[in-house]
Amino acid sequence: MVRGPDEVEVRLRVNGTTRRMFIEPRVSLLDALRDRLDLHGTKKGCNQGACGACTVWVDRRRVLACLTLAISCENREITTIEGLAEGDTLHPMQQAFLDADAFQCGYCTPGQIMSAVALLTEGHARDDDEIKEWMSGNLCRCAAYPHIRRAIRRVRDEQGGERASH
């Protein structure tokens, strides 16, 4: 079945809730999240997949929302920065970023946190070199990288090793 080019109904499961919208098939996941679902935590940086500010998870794997079509995420679980906290309790990585002063302007922070949690889940945090390598797709123009690595190490160590779950 061909869908489009006009708007079509799309159902996205975001942060545990199914949301329905009508969009053109060419709409990116980033634009659907920000413009249609009013989830503004995911940032639009370069809009070309080069900065990582729009990092979210689709089926618990990190993706760049600016390069992902929203329609391709139907029947998949999308998690944004808004979905990490449990009520008023921050995710341990969110708290570690605050405690380690791992942000300055804060623009890249949501994408950095989403990648950092995934990095631990993937088991890529044995040392700073590995953290640098696996976080290299997330750019920070303020150069808070030492603080970001400190936050990641803290959560890694508190959760008992290099693997940490969501």
Side-chain angles (χ1 to χ4, degrees), residues 57 60 62 81 84 91-94 97 110-124 135 152 155 159 162-166:
W57 303 336
R60 300 184 61 90
R62 42 185 160 165
I81 191 72
L84 284 187
H91 183 280
M93 189 65 72
Q94 291 172 307
F97 264 62
Q112 295 277 0
I113 290 172
M114 296 302 288
S115 278
V117 174
L119 164 99
L120 290 178
T121 301
E122 296 160 2
H124 298 300
M135 289 293 290
I152 293 169
V155 174
Q159 295 185 351
E162 67 182 72
R163 295 182 79 78
S165 63
H166 167 340

Side-chain angles (χ1 to χ4, degrees), residues 8 16 18 43 46 52 54 58 61-62 76 86 88-89 98-99 107 121 126 143-144 163-164:
V8 297
T18 300
K43 302 302 183 205
C46 67
C54 66
V58 175
R61 296 186 67 164
R62 42 185 160 165
R76 300 173 78 188
E86 298 211 11
D88 291 336
T89 303
L98 287 170
D99 295 344
Y107 198 82
T121 301
R126 285 187 294 259
R163 295 182 79 78

Side-chain angles (χ1 to χ4, degrees), residues 22-38:
F22 288 89
I23 57 173
E24 293 177 358
R26 64 188 174 109
V27 171
S28 72
L29 178 57
L30 176 61
D31 289 337
L33 292 170
R34 291 182 58 80
D35 299 340
R36 301 300 175 103
L37 300 180
D38 293 324

Side-chain angles (χ1 to χ4, degrees), residues 145-164:
Y145 298 115
H147 303 283
I148 292 167
R149 287 191 299 277
R150 183 180 317 127
I152 293 169
R153 287 191 311 267
R154 175 182 157 186
V155 174
R156 175 200 65 197
D157 296 346
E158 286 177 355
Q159 295 185 351
E162 67 182 72
R163 295 182 79 78

